[in-house]
Amino acid sequence: MSYTYEYPRPALTVDCVVFGMDEEDLKVLLIKRGQEPFAGKWALPGGFVRMEESLEAAARRELEEEAGIRPNHLEQLYSFGEPGRDPRGRVVTVAYFALVKLTDHRVEASTDASEAAWFSVWDTPKLAFDHADVLGTALQRLKGKVRYQPIGFELLPPKFTLTQLQRLYEIILERQLDKRNFRKKILAMDLLEELDEVEQDVSHRAARLYRFDHKKYKQLEKAGFNFEL
């Protein structure tokens, strides 16, 4: 049995905040809109949810269609529904945020995006819609969550140095960390596998490489272990 409603209903979209990391900066993926509204303006990747798909499926589809991105870590962030947020009408968006390794993803714009590129989260162009608010909310979520869940490792290469790991936390948290205390705390968790490998092609003394043990973390998490930095 089908039903019709006499009341107007809002449209539903998804918008995605995708974070990546290089050696010196935290990046966010933006697309340049190829269509109105805001044609030629930078925005977060996203679009309308189809009738037959879930919210997460819509987010993953839009990321692949607009930028060629397939993130491993994708989670729902928040809903944004101010009446005037979209000039096309009454549109509610469910935002997601994703973490990717920059070296694993070569962005390619397609569908209604004319361009896709990485920008420093601290220096983005003016964004379309209310996407500046969406980005700000995602950044605050990342700042909080990176301290009590090991999601930061999703931004690092599979093999990394302790200096790279500390630098990641310093960039995200926007403050310096004491080297000795940081290393003592992270190594005491016994979640890093020390490798019989060192950095290659560096001008300074090559540092030891490590790898995060996802399997061990899952086992410890089930036993009640709390990751906290």
Side-chain angles (χ1 to χ4, degrees):
M1 182 181 296
S2 62
Y3 295 88
T4 58
Y5 296 88
E6 60 178 306
Y7 304 107
R9 287 170 287 174
L12 181 64
T13 61
V14 289
D15 287 304
C16 303
V17 183
V18 184
F19 291 117
M21 192 89 165
D22 63 20
E23 292 183 359
E24 295 299 329
D25 207 357
L26 179 64
K27 306 286 189 178
V28 63
L29 175 67
L30 300 178
I31 58 101
K32 183 175 284 187
R33 290 184 56 80
Q35 300 177 3
E36 294 292 351
F38 302 109
K41 301 298 184 182
W42 290 98
L44 298 170
F48 287 95
V49 179
R50 295 172 180 171
M51 293 296 291
E52 73 281 0
E53 64 185 354
S54 68
L55 292 173
E56 182 172 326
R60 291 189 180 277
R61 174 181 54 77
E62 287 291 343
L63 282 176
E64 186 167 2
E65 287 181 355
E66 292 194 335
I69 293 286
R70 296 180 180 180
N72 290 325
H73 184 94
L74 179 72
E75 65 177 80
Q76 195 172 120
L77 174 65
Y78 196 72
S79 297
F80 296 82
E82 287 298 316
R85 63 172 303 276
D86 192 318
R88 291 169 294 190
R90 186 71 174 94
V91 181
V92 175
T93 194
V94 178
Y96 280 79
F97 92 91
L99 304 177
V100 301
K101 296 175 175 59
L102 285 182
T103 54
D104 292 348
H105 297 274
R106 181 174 176 269
V107 297
E108 297 180 357
S110 60
T111 63
D112 59 350
S114 64
E115 190 176 344
W118 294 100
F119 289 83
S120 168
V121 296
W122 324 115
D123 187 23
T124 62
K126 185 176 180 180
L127 301 183
F129 305 102
D130 55 354
H131 288 183
D133 293 335
V134 179
L135 173 57
T137 301
L139 185 57
Q140 290 306 309
R141 169 75 65 86
L142 178 61
K143 284 174 174 286
K145 199 165 186 177
V146 76
R147 302 198 62 173
Y148 65 85
Q149 284 190 12
I151 61 172
F153 293 100
E154 297 291 341
L155 297 167
L156 289 172
K159 300 174 184 179
F160 52 85
T161 67
L162 294 179
T163 297
Q164 286 176 309
L165 180 60
Q166 179 175 337
R167 184 64 181 143
L168 176 144
Y169 278 91
E170 289 178 335
I171 290 172
I172 293 174
L173 299 176
E174 295 186 272
R175 63 184 180 87
Q176 288 190 326
L177 301 174
D178 181 79
K179 179 179 177 179
R180 182 177 179 182
N181 289 339
F182 177 83
R183 294 192 175 196
K184 181 179 179 181
K185 196 165 189 177
I186 195 69
L187 291 176
M189 294 182 186
D190 198 26
L191 293 172
L192 301 185
E193 177 186 356
E194 184 175 352
L195 304 176
D196 190 23
E197 301 177 49
V198 295
E199 291 179 291
Q200 300 295 319
D201 303 319
V202 291
S203 57
H204 52 79
R205 182 181 177 183
R208 179 71 59 186
L209 293 174
Y210 291 80
R211 181 164 49 206
F212 179 68
D213 193 332
H214 289 272
K215 184 177 180 181
K216 190 169 188 178
Y217 171 70
K218 290 297 183 183
Q219 293 173 341
L220 290 172
E221 187 181 33
K222 288 181 180 179
F225 172 79
N226 290 318
F227 182 93
E228 186 176 351
L229 279 175

